[in-house]
Amino acid sequence: EKDDRCGIRLPKGIGYSLSLLATMETCLAVPLMHKTVSKTNAETTATAYANENITACILMDTDVPLLNALLNLGIYCVIVCGRSIRHGEINVLRTAGTRKPSSCQAEQQCCNGAALQIKTSGTTGESKLILYEREILAIGALCIANRSGLGPSSIGLNFLPLHHIGGIACNIMAALLSG
């Protein structure tokens, strides 16, 4: 749904990028860092996601401890095949859990129209959640593409991470919008 927060916890690559773009079309996409979660810290990680009001999560079939912890907290999961992601495909194996609507009315209103939620690093103080609308992302990406002179035959090398607004705007959106 439009006001749901969907966490994307996949390895960086084409499958991640496609999942991010597709999620931004239907709800609020929340890029999550993909790192190994052991059985002992799966509950802590799942609780942190729940505290960020994530109502759904896209993750790989190999994330079994985290998957179980998310389901125990009532977070709807879309499980994709890890092998297919590594080859640039997205094969949904199954979904699990019951989709629950967002619970906080005030939060639903504040997220209305937003497509992406990024958590800042907190270098100037406490980390903050920043919401971006699709139009703002597109304008920023077009500015990057135009300023950089990107075109259909351009090849880019970017070191910004895909859970960072610079990585999303430069690596994905600017490249996509430049042809």
Side-chain angles (χ1 to χ4, degrees):
E1 296 292 317
K2 180 177 66 170
D3 293 314
D4 282 342
R5 283 187 164 94
C6 181
I8 301 167
R9 192 178 184 286
L10 298 172
K12 306 308 182 229
I14 229 157
Y16 177 93
S17 301
L18 292 172
S19 295
L20 182 69
L21 291 170
T23 301
M24 285 172 31
E25 280 300 307
T26 57
C27 62
L28 184 64
V30 182
L32 303 170
M33 293 176 78
H34 183 268
K35 53 187 170 186
T36 305
V37 175
S38 69
K39 200 173 198 174
T40 54
N41 66 2
E43 287 182 24
T44 305
T45 301
T47 301
Y49 293 173
N51 289 341
E52 290 185 29
N53 294 316
I54 291 175
T55 55
C57 189
I58 301 171
L59 69 162
M60 291 193 333
D61 57 347
T62 53
D63 282 337
V64 176
L66 181 59
L67 170 64
N68 291 330
L70 290 169
L71 291 173
N72 287 338
L73 292 175
I75 296 176
Y76 184 79
C77 296
V78 176
I79 305 150
V80 299
C81 176
R83 202 170 351 160
S84 70
I85 285 284
R86 286 186 285 278
H87 298 291
E89 301 171 6
I90 304 171
N91 292 334
V92 175
L93 297 176
R94 65 186 177 100
T95 57
T98 306
R99 200 195 77 68
K100 296 179 181 176
S102 299
S103 57
C104 176
Q105 279 300 84
E107 197 152 315
Q108 284 182 3
Q109 290 169 354
C110 105
C111 297
N112 199 12
L116 179 67
Q117 172 184 299
I118 300 285
K119 191 172 194 174
T120 67
S121 62
T123 48
T124 60
E126 296 225 7
S127 64
K128 299 169 208 62
L129 296 178
I130 309 295
L131 300 175
Y132 294 93
E133 294 178 3
R134 283 178 202 83
E135 294 82 6
I136 298 300
L137 288 168
I139 290 168
L142 285 171
C143 288
I144 291 167
N146 287 337
R147 179 77 172 140
S148 303
L150 297 179
S153 61
S154 296
I155 297 173
L157 176 62
N158 190 322
F159 295 98
L160 296 169
L162 291 177
H163 62 272
H164 184 280
I165 187 59
I168 293 167
C170 295
N171 293 347
I172 302 171
M173 302 287 291
L176 183 68
L177 294 174
S178 66

